[in-house]
PDB file of all heavy atoms in Angstrom:
ATOM      1  N   PRO A   1     -12.794  64.998  28.431  1.00  0.00           N
ATOM      2  CA  PRO A   1     -13.467  65.375  29.667  1.00  0.00           C
ATOM      3  C   PRO A   1     -14.301  64.240  30.259  1.00  0.00           C
ATOM      4  O   PRO A   1     -14.458  64.128  31.460  1.00  0.00           O
ATOM      5  CB  PRO A   1     -14.361  66.538  29.256  1.00  0.00           C
ATOM      6  CG  PRO A   1     -13.797  67.043  27.994  1.00  0.00           C
ATOM      7  CD  PRO A   1     -13.082  65.912  27.354  1.00  0.00           C
ATOM      8  N   HIS A   2     -14.840  63.356  29.414  1.00  0.00           N
ATOM      9  CA  HIS A   2     -15.661  62.246  29.899  1.00  0.00           C
ATOM     10  C   HIS A   2     -14.805  61.199  30.593  1.00  0.00           C
ATOM     11  O   HIS A   2     -15.227  60.575  31.553  1.00  0.00           O
ATOM     12  CB  HIS A   2     -16.420  61.604  28.740  1.00  0.00           C
ATOM     13  CG  HIS A   2     -17.338  62.579  28.050  1.00  0.00           C
ATOM     14  ND1 HIS A   2     -18.466  63.063  28.634  1.00  0.00           N
ATOM     15  CD2 HIS A   2     -17.258  63.163  26.831  1.00  0.00           C
ATOM     16  CE1 HIS A   2     -19.061  63.915  27.793  1.00  0.00           C
ATOM     17  NE2 HIS A   2     -18.334  63.975  26.694  1.00  0.00           N
ATOM     18  N   GLU A   3     -13.587  60.992  30.069  1.00  0.00           N
ATOM     19  CA  GLU A   3     -12.715  59.981  30.646  1.00  0.00           C
ATOM     20  C   GLU A   3     -12.182  60.426  31.996  1.00  0.00           C
ATOM     21  O   GLU A   3     -11.864  59.614  32.840  1.00  0.00           O
ATOM     22  CB  GLU A   3     -11.543  59.694  29.708  1.00  0.00           C
ATOM     23  CG  GLU A   3     -11.952  58.994  28.441  1.00  0.00           C
ATOM     24  CD  GLU A   3     -10.789  58.830  27.481  1.00  0.00           C
ATOM     25  OE1 GLU A   3      -9.705  59.377  27.755  1.00  0.00           O
ATOM     26  OE2 GLU A   3     -10.974  58.175  26.463  1.00  0.00           O
ATOM     27  N   ALA A   4     -12.061  61.749  32.179  1.00  0.00           N
ATOM     28  CA  ALA A   4     -11.497  62.256  33.425  1.00  0.00           C
ATOM     29  C   ALA A   4     -12.407  61.951  34.607  1.00  0.00           C
ATOM     30  O   ALA A   4     -11.942  61.787  35.723  1.00  0.00           O
ATOM     31  CB  ALA A   4     -11.251  63.751  33.316  1.00  0.00           C
ATOM     32  N   THR A   5     -13.722  61.853  34.393  1.00  0.00           N
ATOM     33  CA  THR A   5     -14.662  61.597  35.490  1.00  0.00           C
ATOM     34  C   THR A   5     -14.741  60.125  35.839  1.00  0.00           C
ATOM     35  O   THR A   5     -15.138  59.771  36.930  1.00  0.00           O
ATOM     36  CB  THR A   5     -16.067  62.105  35.126  1.00  0.00           C
ATOM     37  OG1 THR A   5     -16.491  61.444  33.944  1.00  0.00           O
ATOM     38  CG2 THR A   5     -16.054  63.605  34.921  1.00  0.00           C
ATOM     39  N   GLN A   6     -14.372  59.234  34.906  1.00  0.00           N
ATOM     40  CA  GLN A   6     -14.460  57.804  35.155  1.00  0.00           C
ATOM     41  C   GLN A   6     -13.165  57.323  35.802  1.00  0.00           C
ATOM     42  O   GLN A   6     -12.082  57.806  35.482  1.00  0.00           O
ATOM     43  CB  GLN A   6     -14.674  57.051  33.850  1.00  0.00           C
ATOM     44  CG  GLN A   6     -15.983  57.383  33.187  1.00  0.00           C
ATOM     45  CD  GLN A   6     -16.113  56.666  31.849  1.00  0.00           C
ATOM     46  OE1 GLN A   6     -15.178  56.048  31.395  1.00  0.00           O
ATOM     47  NE2 GLN A   6     -17.271  56.779  31.242  1.00  0.00           N
ATOM     48  N   PRO A   7     -13.260  56.342  36.676  1.00  0.00           N
ATOM     49  CA  PRO A   7     -12.027  55.808  37.268  1.00  0.00           C
ATOM     50  C   PRO A   7     -11.255  55.029  36.216  1.00  0.00           C
ATOM     51  O   PRO A   7     -11.845  54.424  35.316  1.00  0.00           O
ATOM     52  CB  PRO A   7     -12.536  54.892  38.380  1.00  0.00           C
ATOM     53  CG  PRO A   7     -13.918  54.530  37.988  1.00  0.00           C
ATOM     54  CD  PRO A   7     -14.446  55.702  37.205  1.00  0.00           C
ATOM     55  N   PRO A   8      -9.951  55.039  36.287  1.00  0.00           N
ATOM     56  CA  PRO A   8      -9.169  54.319  35.284  1.00  0.00           C
ATOM     57  C   PRO A   8      -9.386  52.811  35.413  1.00  0.00           C
ATOM     58  O   PRO A   8      -9.581  52.285  36.510  1.00  0.00           O
ATOM     59  CB  PRO A   8      -7.721  54.691  35.613  1.00  0.00           C
ATOM     60  CG  PRO A   8      -7.744  55.154  37.035  1.00  0.00           C
ATOM     61  CD  PRO A   8      -9.121  55.707  37.272  1.00  0.00           C
ATOM     62  N   ALA A   9      -9.366  52.138  34.264  1.00  0.00           N
ATOM     63  CA  ALA A   9      -9.573  50.691  34.239  1.00  0.00           C
ATOM     64  C   ALA A   9      -8.340  50.007  34.812  1.00  0.00           C
ATOM     65  O   ALA A   9      -7.219  50.465  34.594  1.00  0.00           O
ATOM     66  CB  ALA A   9      -9.805  50.225  32.810  1.00  0.00           C
ATOM     67  N   PRO A  10      -8.539  48.919  35.544  1.00  0.00           N
ATOM     68  CA  PRO A  10      -7.376  48.228  36.091  1.00  0.00           C
ATOM     69  C   PRO A  10      -6.548  47.635  34.961  1.00  0.00           C
ATOM     70  O   PRO A  10      -7.086  47.083  34.001  1.00  0.00           O
ATOM     71  CB  PRO A  10      -7.979  47.133  36.970  1.00  0.00           C
ATOM     72  CG  PRO A  10      -9.361  46.944  36.462  1.00  0.00           C
ATOM     73  CD  PRO A  10      -9.778  48.267  35.894  1.00  0.00           C
ATOM     74  N   LYS A  11      -5.244  47.762  35.065  1.00  0.00           N
ATOM     75  CA  LYS A  11      -4.363  47.266  34.014  1.00  0.00           C
ATOM     76  C   LYS A  11      -4.114  45.786  34.217  1.00  0.00           C
ATOM     77  O   LYS A  11      -3.786  45.343  35.313  1.00  0.00           O
ATOM     78  CB  LYS A  11      -3.038  48.020  34.026  1.00  0.00           C
ATOM     79  CG  LYS A  11      -3.174  49.454  33.628  1.00  0.00           C
ATOM     80  CD  LYS A  11      -1.824  50.113  33.538  1.00  0.00           C
ATOM     81  CE  LYS A  11      -1.976  51.551  33.097  1.00  0.00           C
ATOM     82  NZ  LYS A  11      -0.680  52.215  32.979  1.00  0.00           N
ATOM     83  N   THR A  12      -4.307  45.025  33.135  1.00  0.00           N
ATOM     84  CA  THR A  12      -4.025  43.602  33.193  1.00  0.00           C
ATOM     85  C   THR A  12      -2.762  43.369  32.388  1.00  0.00           C
ATOM     86  O   THR A  12      -2.559  43.996  31.338  1.00  0.00           O
ATOM     87  CB  THR A  12      -5.182  42.779  32.588  1.00  0.00           C
ATOM     88  OG1 THR A  12      -5.405  43.224  31.256  1.00  0.00           O
ATOM     89  CG2 THR A  12      -6.436  42.933  33.401  1.00  0.00           C
ATOM     90  N   PRO A  13      -1.923  42.498  32.829  1.00  0.00           N
ATOM     91  CA  PRO A  13      -0.697  42.261  32.060  1.00  0.00           C
ATOM     92  C   PRO A  13      -1.044  41.612  30.731  1.00  0.00           C
ATOM     93  O   PRO A  13      -1.868  40.702  30.662  1.00  0.00           O
ATOM     94  CB  PRO A  13       0.126  41.320  32.946  1.00  0.00           C
ATOM     95  CG  PRO A  13      -0.864  40.698  33.879  1.00  0.00           C
ATOM     96  CD  PRO A  13      -1.988  41.693  34.030  1.00  0.00           C
ATOM     97  N   ALA A  14      -0.432  42.117  29.665  1.00  0.00           N
ATOM     98  CA  ALA A  14      -0.685  41.580  28.325  1.00  0.00           C
ATOM     99  C   ALA A  14      -0.035  40.211  28.215  1.00  0.00           C
ATOM    100  O   ALA A  14       0.986  39.936  28.829  1.00  0.00           O
ATOM    101  CB  ALA A  14      -0.119  42.519  27.272  1.00  0.00           C
ATOM    102  N   ALA A  15      -0.660  39.354  27.417  1.00  0.00           N
ATOM    103  CA  ALA A  15      -0.118  38.020  27.223  1.00  0.00           C
ATOM    104  C   ALA A  15       1.202  38.125  26.470  1.00  0.00           C
ATOM    105  O   ALA A  15       1.330  38.906  25.533  1.00  0.00           O
ATOM    106  CB  ALA A  15      -1.098  37.172  26.430  1.00  0.00           C
ATOM    107  N   LYS A  16       2.170  37.330  26.899  1.00  0.00           N
ATOM    108  CA  LYS A  16       3.464  37.345  26.245  1.00  0.00           C
ATOM    109  C   LYS A  16       3.343  36.652  24.904  1.00  0.00           C
ATOM    110  O   LYS A  16       2.776  35.556  24.815  1.00  0.00           O
ATOM    111  CB  LYS A  16       4.484  36.581  27.087  1.00  0.00           C
ATOM    112  CG  LYS A  16       5.363  37.423  27.926  1.00  0.00           C
ATOM    113  CD  LYS A  16       6.445  36.556  28.534  1.00  0.00           C
ATOM    114  CE  LYS A  16       7.503  37.397  29.164  1.00  0.00           C
ATOM    115  NZ  LYS A  16       8.521  36.570  29.801  1.00  0.00           N
ATOM    116  N   PRO A  17       3.839  37.260  23.846  1.00  0.00           N
ATOM    117  CA  PRO A  17       3.788  36.570  22.559  1.00  0.00           C
ATOM    118  C   PRO A  17       4.751  35.377  22.584  1.00  0.00           C
ATOM    119  O   PRO A  17       5.889  35.504  23.001  1.00  0.00           O
ATOM    120  CB  PRO A  17       4.232  37.626  21.555  1.00  0.00           C
ATOM    121  CG  PRO A  17       4.963  38.643  22.351  1.00  0.00           C
ATOM    122  CD  PRO A  17       4.417  38.585  23.733  1.00  0.00           C
ATOM    123  N   ARG A  18       4.246  34.237  22.167  1.00  0.00           N
ATOM    124  CA  ARG A  18       5.058  33.030  22.167  1.00  0.00           C
ATOM    125  C   ARG A  18       5.640  32.829  20.787  1.00  0.00           C
ATOM    126  O   ARG A  18       4.931  32.922  19.781  1.00  0.00           O
ATOM    127  CB  ARG A  18       4.203  31.834  22.547  1.00  0.00           C
ATOM    128  CG  ARG A  18       5.006  30.558  22.552  1.00  0.00           C
ATOM    129  CD  ARG A  18       4.305  29.456  23.283  1.00  0.00           C
ATOM    130  NE  ARG A  18       5.200  28.318  23.234  1.00  0.00           N
ATOM    131  CZ  ARG A  18       4.825  27.118  22.867  1.00  0.00           C
ATOM    132  NH1 ARG A  18       3.588  26.898  22.537  1.00  0.00           N
ATOM    133  NH2 ARG A  18       5.691  26.132  22.832  1.00  0.00           N
ATOM    134  N   LYS A  19       6.887  32.546  20.729  1.00  0.00           N
ATOM    135  CA  LYS A  19       7.549  32.286  19.456  1.00  0.00           C
ATOM    136  C   LYS A  19       7.474  30.798  19.160  1.00  0.00           C
ATOM    137  O   LYS A  19       7.957  29.974  19.932  1.00  0.00           O
ATOM    138  CB  LYS A  19       9.014  32.728  19.507  1.00  0.00           C
ATOM    139  CG  LYS A  19       9.202  34.195  19.793  1.00  0.00           C
ATOM    140  CD  LYS A  19       8.784  35.021  18.612  1.00  0.00           C
ATOM    141  CE  LYS A  19       9.031  36.487  18.894  1.00  0.00           C
ATOM    142  NZ  LYS A  19       8.635  37.344  17.838  1.00  0.00           N
ATOM    143  N   HIS A  20       6.854  30.452  18.055  1.00  0.00           N
ATOM    144  CA  HIS A  20       6.749  29.068  17.631  1.00  0.00           C
ATOM    145  C   HIS A  20       7.818  28.807  16.579  1.00  0.00           C
ATOM    146  O   HIS A  20       8.066  29.646  15.709  1.00  0.00           O
ATOM    147  CB  HIS A  20       5.369  28.777  17.024  1.00  0.00           C
ATOM    148  CG  HIS A  20       4.249  28.904  18.005  1.00  0.00           C
ATOM    149  ND1 HIS A  20       3.890  27.885  18.846  1.00  0.00           N
ATOM    150  CD2 HIS A  20       3.412  29.925  18.283  1.00  0.00           C
ATOM    151  CE1 HIS A  20       2.866  28.268  19.595  1.00  0.00           C
ATOM    152  NE2 HIS A  20       2.563  29.514  19.276  1.00  0.00           N
ATOM    153  N   THR A  21       8.393  27.641  16.615  1.00  0.00           N
ATOM    154  CA  THR A  21       9.356  27.268  15.586  1.00  0.00           C
ATOM    155  C   THR A  21       8.592  26.877  14.322  1.00  0.00           C
ATOM    156  O   THR A  21       7.376  26.617  14.358  1.00  0.00           O
ATOM    157  CB  THR A  21      10.231  26.090  16.046  1.00  0.00           C
ATOM    158  OG1 THR A  21       9.391  24.945  16.248  1.00  0.00           O
ATOM    159  CG2 THR A  21      10.987  26.426  17.322  1.00  0.00           C
ATOM    160  N   ASP A  22       9.305  26.821  13.218  1.00  0.00           N
ATOM    161  CA  ASP A  22       8.656  26.444  11.961  1.00  0.00           C
ATOM    162  C   ASP A  22       8.081  25.025  12.042  1.00  0.00           C
ATOM    163  O   ASP A  22       7.011  24.750  11.496  1.00  0.00           O
ATOM    164  CB  ASP A  22       9.660  26.526  10.806  1.00  0.00           C
ATOM    165  CG  ASP A  22      10.048  27.964  10.485  1.00  0.00           C
ATOM    166  OD1 ASP A  22       9.257  28.873  10.839  1.00  0.00           O
ATOM    167  OD2 ASP A  22      11.123  28.168   9.883  1.00  0.00           O
ATOM    168  N   LYS A  23       8.789  24.168  12.739  1.00  0.00           N
ATOM    169  CA  LYS A  23       8.315  22.789  12.873  1.00  0.00           C
ATOM    170  C   LYS A  23       7.004  22.748  13.661  1.00  0.00           C
ATOM    171  O   LYS A  23       6.060  22.041  13.278  1.00  0.00           O
ATOM    172  CB  LYS A  23       9.391  21.958  13.585  1.00  0.00           C
ATOM    173  CG  LYS A  23       9.114  20.483  13.602  1.00  0.00           C
ATOM    174  CD  LYS A  23      10.286  19.728  14.210  1.00  0.00           C
ATOM    175  CE  LYS A  23      10.000  18.237  14.211  1.00  0.00           C
ATOM    176  NZ  LYS A  23      11.114  17.468  14.803  1.00  0.00           N
ATOM    177  N   GLU A  24       6.937  23.513  14.760  1.00  0.00           N
ATOM    178  CA  GLU A  24       5.705  23.565  15.550  1.00  0.00           C
ATOM    179  C   GLU A  24       4.546  24.119  14.726  1.00  0.00           C
ATOM    180  O   GLU A  24       3.419  23.639  14.813  1.00  0.00           O
ATOM    181  CB  GLU A  24       5.907  24.438  16.794  1.00  0.00           C
ATOM    182  CG  GLU A  24       6.785  23.826  17.855  1.00  0.00           C
ATOM    183  CD  GLU A  24       7.035  24.779  19.011  1.00  0.00           C
ATOM    184  OE1 GLU A  24       6.937  26.012  18.812  1.00  0.00           O
ATOM    185  OE2 GLU A  24       7.316  24.294  20.112  1.00  0.00           O
ATOM    186  N   LYS A  25       4.834  25.150  13.943  1.00  0.00           N
ATOM    187  CA  LYS A  25       3.787  25.751  13.108  1.00  0.00           C
ATOM    188  C   LYS A  25       3.226  24.732  12.130  1.00  0.00           C
ATOM    189  O   LYS A  25       2.004  24.588  11.987  1.00  0.00           O
ATOM    190  CB  LYS A  25       4.345  26.953  12.340  1.00  0.00           C
ATOM    191  CG  LYS A  25       4.667  28.145  13.202  1.00  0.00           C
ATOM    192  CD  LYS A  25       5.264  29.255  12.369  1.00  0.00           C
ATOM    193  CE  LYS A  25       5.698  30.427  13.225  1.00  0.00           C
ATOM    194  NZ  LYS A  25       6.286  31.505  12.417  1.00  0.00           N
ATOM    195  N   ILE A  26       4.115  24.014  11.464  1.00  0.00           N
ATOM    196  CA  ILE A  26       3.671  23.019  10.474  1.00  0.00           C
ATOM    197  C   ILE A  26       2.878  21.912  11.154  1.00  0.00           C
ATOM    198  O   ILE A  26       1.848  21.465  10.636  1.00  0.00           O
ATOM    199  CB  ILE A  26       4.890  22.457   9.708  1.00  0.00           C
ATOM    200  CG1 ILE A  26       5.496  23.571   8.834  1.00  0.00           C
ATOM    201  CG2 ILE A  26       4.505  21.262   8.861  1.00  0.00           C
ATOM    202  CD1 ILE A  26       6.824  23.217   8.213  1.00  0.00           C
ATOM    203  N   GLU A  27       3.346  21.470  12.327  1.00  0.00           N
ATOM    204  CA  GLU A  27       2.630  20.422  13.051  1.00  0.00           C
ATOM    205  C   GLU A  27       1.233  20.884  13.452  1.00  0.00           C
ATOM    206  O   GLU A  27       0.257  20.139  13.312  1.00  0.00           O
ATOM    207  CB  GLU A  27       3.419  20.010  14.298  1.00  0.00           C
ATOM    208  CG  GLU A  27       4.661  19.206  13.993  1.00  0.00           C
ATOM    209  CD  GLU A  27       5.497  18.918  15.230  1.00  0.00           C
ATOM    210  OE1 GLU A  27       5.078  19.296  16.338  1.00  0.00           O
ATOM    211  OE2 GLU A  27       6.564  18.311  15.073  1.00  0.00           O
ATOM    212  N   LYS A  28       1.125  22.119  13.930  1.00  0.00           N
ATOM    213  CA  LYS A  28      -0.192  22.631  14.326  1.00  0.00           C
ATOM    214  C   LYS A  28      -1.109  22.790  13.115  1.00  0.00           C
ATOM    215  O   LYS A  28      -2.303  22.499  13.188  1.00  0.00           O
ATOM    216  CB  LYS A  28      -0.054  23.961  15.074  1.00  0.00           C
ATOM    217  CG  LYS A  28       0.441  23.772  16.488  1.00  0.00           C
ATOM    218  CD  LYS A  28       0.278  25.010  17.318  1.00  0.00           C
ATOM    219  CE  LYS A  28       0.721  24.741  18.738  1.00  0.00           C
ATOM    220  NZ  LYS A  28       0.327  25.757  19.682  1.00  0.00           N
ATOM    221  N   LEU A  29      -0.556  23.249  11.996  1.00  0.00           N
ATOM    222  CA  LEU A  29      -1.368  23.388  10.776  1.00  0.00           C
ATOM    223  C   LEU A  29      -1.899  22.031  10.332  1.00  0.00           C
ATOM    224  O   LEU A  29      -3.076  21.895   9.967  1.00  0.00           O
ATOM    225  CB  LEU A  29      -0.556  24.042   9.662  1.00  0.00           C
ATOM    226  CG  LEU A  29      -0.263  25.526   9.803  1.00  0.00           C
ATOM    227  CD1 LEU A  29       0.693  25.997   8.706  1.00  0.00           C
ATOM    228  CD2 LEU A  29      -1.538  26.341   9.756  1.00  0.00           C
TER     229      LEU A  29
END
């Protein structure tokens, strides 16, 4: 009932998960 009185929050697009290769992972580590 409390949420019904509040305006809905604006939806933001979720960040796309980036796929890292094993080589990139090792380099970043």
Side-chain angles (χ1 to χ4, degrees):
H2 300 290
E3 291 175 353
T5 59
Q6 296 177 353
K11 292 185 178 181
T12 56
K16 261 188 169 178
R18 180 164 181 229
K19 300 289 182 181
H20 295 276
T21 63
D22 290 338
K23 189 175 180 180
E24 288 176 336
K25 290 178 184 180
I26 292 170
E27 288 175 3
K28 285 193 177 193
L29 288 173

